[in-house]
Amino acid sequence: MSLEFGGPLKHWNCNEGAMEGEVFMLNAGWYERLGLGEVYRKVHAGVRLDLNDGEKLLSCPDVVAVGALAHQVRTRLHGGTTYYVVNQHINYSNICINGCLFCAFGRVKGDSKAFQLSVEDVLNKMKEREHDPITEIHIVGGCHPDLPFSYYETILREIKALRPSILIKAFTAVEIAHLAKQAGATPGEVLLRLKSAGLDMLPGGGAEVFSPRVRSQLCPKKLSGEEWLTVTRQAHELGIRSNATMLYGHIETPRERLEHLDALRQLQDDTQGFVCFIPLPFQPANTRLEHIHPTTGVEDLRNMAVCRLMLDNIPHIKAYWVMLTVKLAQVALHFGADDLDGTVVEEKIGHMAGAESEQALTRVELERLIRDAGFNPMERNSFFQKLAT
Ligand code: V47
């Protein structure tokens, strides 16, 4: 038994708003026996974990013990609240020059499955949902070889004209660097122009695993990890906040995962620009890495917990139900995650790679999942500001 309840069982009710120390007491002796005594003491004292601590956690067979530490931290930060957003994903194109091995979404120009939306198509997708109380549009595509820069600016302007109150989270650091190259501008100039056209925030994609070893094998044409961090730093310095991701469960080592998390943590120390972190389990179907087994549920939960514990300065951790499945994302709320993402509406990147989750969830379904897990649902916007519903 790894948990010892510190008070009457009635305290164990996330809905009443968990109070620090009142939730449960973790059994120190059990952590000693797992070889996690020092990690346990650090987590309780709020001391930063180092990469060796992370390795111990990632190799710990007791996923509940690791999860309980992460839950302790998540509860300290967010009490009994779990966030969600009413959002819509739109992919403007899957045409991409990078050809990453893990990606089932990207296509070369001319491929029978390649697509490219006009500005009008993008707006029509929004108009189909005009009666939904959407607060966030999430827009990404590939690194397209020849769309003009004005296309991206016009999308942003027209979306804001159509629904001025919506926040636009669009274009990964990889796309920003690509647009800069195409336009003969610096990433900073591109970011400023997109910001004045209506860009509110960058999504966290394209980070994959920063390790040059991994990138040289899986995505040699893509922006390097170091460049991803540089573009993201620039965005933060220009007042554009962002999310961050890690694509795990392929060829990366535990150490490379932890180095990735540490690089994000160091950037966050400098900028405070990251809003949320999203661990993305690799979906192998229809990719050139189809021989790799998908991650298991226990691996996903352990990884989620370790991300929460290592990323001590990033406020929110998202259980992205699209890649995790709805059921595992719900359980992940007890393993460090405090956000379920959102309604999504139409998702392509994960589903083209075999994701078995639904295409969309309603607000009612999201709230039911959160309540059933023992938390209070809270609708948020892209910046995690609470919305009155
Ligand atoms: O950048 C690509 C990843 C990312 C696969 O910022 C794959 O709020 C799994 O970044 N299996 C796009 N993952 C998704 C993304 C995201 C999603 C939700 C919310 C936010 C946010 C960001 O998906 C890509 C890549 O890292 N990806 N192929 C695959 N086969």
Side-chain angles (χ1 to χ4, degrees):
M1 178 69 177
S2 62
L3 296 181
E4 196 176 79
F5 290 99
L9 200 55
K10 67 182 166 62
H11 283 295
W12 179 240
N13 182 346
C14 302
N15 274 332
E16 284 170 11
M19 308 261 283
E20 192 186 343
E22 272 196 348
V23 187
F24 49 72
M25 251 168 38
L26 305 174
N27 183 325
W30 182 259
Y31 285 90
E32 290 296 346
R33 284 195 289 282
L34 286 170
L36 291 174
E38 198 190 337
V39 174
Y40 168 92
R41 284 186 289 281
K42 283 185 177 175
V43 170
H44 278 257
V47 172
R48 178 162 285 191
L49 301 182
D50 61 29
L51 301 199
N52 293 335
D53 298 325
E55 278 188 335
K56 285 183 197 151
L57 288 162
L58 277 178
S59 64
C60 176
D62 185 341
V63 68
V64 172
V66 177
L69 285 177
H71 189 63
Q72 176 99 335
V73 172
R74 176 252 199 260
T75 304
R76 207 185 281 158
L77 291 169
H78 306 295
T81 300
T82 289
Y83 296 90
Y84 72 92
V85 62
V86 180
N87 66 353
Q88 178 177 8
H89 283 211
I90 299 180
N91 298 117
Y92 58 89
S93 174
N94 65 348
I95 298 174
C96 186
I97 58 170
N98 284 338
C100 305
L101 267 60
F102 54 77
C103 183
F105 169 75
R107 290 285 184 281
V108 291
K109 202 172 176 181
D111 184 290
S112 60
K113 287 188 181 155
F115 71 86
Q116 179 180 316
L117 303 187
S118 64
V119 175
E120 202 188 349
D121 295 332
V122 171
L123 295 178
N124 283 339
K125 282 195 179 283
M126 286 188 63
K127 284 176 190 161
E128 283 166 21
R129 317 299 301 194
E130 69 185 333
H131 299 300
D132 290 358
I134 287 167
T135 64
E136 172 186 275
I137 294 284
H138 175 136
I139 302 177
V140 290
C143 287
H144 193 287
D146 50 31
L147 278 169
F149 189 64
S150 58
Y151 168 85
Y152 304 92
E153 290 181 302
T154 311
I155 285 185
L156 298 172
R157 285 217 173 85
E158 295 287 328
I159 289 176
K160 285 285 179 180
L162 187 68
R163 287 182 79 165
S165 63
I166 275 187
L167 293 174
I168 308 179
K169 185 178 74 181
F171 314 129
T172 66
V174 173
E175 286 164 282
I176 297 294
H178 173 71
L179 299 188
K181 211 169 166 186
Q182 300 279 103
T186 64
E189 285 162 352
V190 162
L191 285 163
L192 279 177
R193 278 178 65 177
L194 295 177
K195 189 179 181 193
S196 66
L199 179 72
D200 292 296
M201 184 177 169
L202 302 187
E208 324 312 355
V209 171
F210 295 138
S211 149
R213 183 194 74 85
V214 170
R215 277 181 123 77
S216 69
Q217 290 183 48
L218 299 191
C219 47
K221 293 192 191 157
K222 191 170 222 159
L223 194 71
S224 71
E226 214 167 296
E227 288 164 324
W228 188 98
L229 290 161
T230 303
V231 172
T232 302
R233 179 186 290 277
Q234 280 175 302
H236 293 177
E237 285 169 357
L238 293 169
I240 304 170
R241 304 189 72 194
S242 77
N243 289 340
T245 54
M246 175 173 72
L247 178 69
Y248 69 94
H250 40 84
I251 62 162
E252 85 288 359
T253 63
R255 192 78 185 181
E256 284 164 340
R257 268 191 220 182
L258 293 161
E259 284 165 354
H260 181 93
L261 299 176
D262 189 46
L264 292 173
R265 192 166 71 168
Q266 285 181 38
L267 178 54
Q268 180 74 338
D269 276 344
D270 293 347
T271 66
Q272 294 298 307
F274 288 121
V275 177
C276 179
F277 173 79
I278 309 116
L280 297 168
F282 171 55
Q283 322 278 313
N286 310 318
T287 73
R288 278 177 285 164
L289 300 174
E290 230 169 1
H291 56 281
I292 294 179
H293 291 295
T295 55
T296 65
V298 165
E299 186 180 356
D300 290 333
L301 293 177
R302 188 190 289 110
N303 183 74
M304 182 69 72
V306 174
C307 291
R308 174 64 285 166
L309 290 167
M310 295 302 294
L311 295 175
D312 53 13
N313 54 4
I314 298 188
H316 299 284
I317 306 284
K318 179 179 301 191
Y320 186 44
W321 57 263
V322 169
M323 307 286 190
L324 287 170
T325 74
V326 170
K327 289 185 177 187
L328 195 66
Q330 186 192 32
V331 177
L333 300 177
H334 286 278
F335 285 76
D338 62 280
D339 180 62
L340 264 194
D341 198 71
T343 48
V344 175
V345 180
E346 185 189 21
E347 200 283 333
K348 290 189 192 294
I349 297 174
H351 285 90
M352 286 176 85
E356 287 170 5
S357 55
E358 293 72 352
Q359 268 292 339
L361 291 178
T362 63
R363 179 211 292 270
V364 170
E365 285 167 330
L366 284 162
E367 291 210 353
R368 180 173 161 260
L369 288 164
I370 293 168
R371 280 211 180 84
D372 190 56
F375 298 95
N376 298 315
M378 176 62 69
E379 187 184 345
R380 61 160 177 92
N381 67 10
S382 311
F383 301 118
F384 280 76
Q385 289 161 332
K386 297 179 179 180
L387 300 178
T389 50

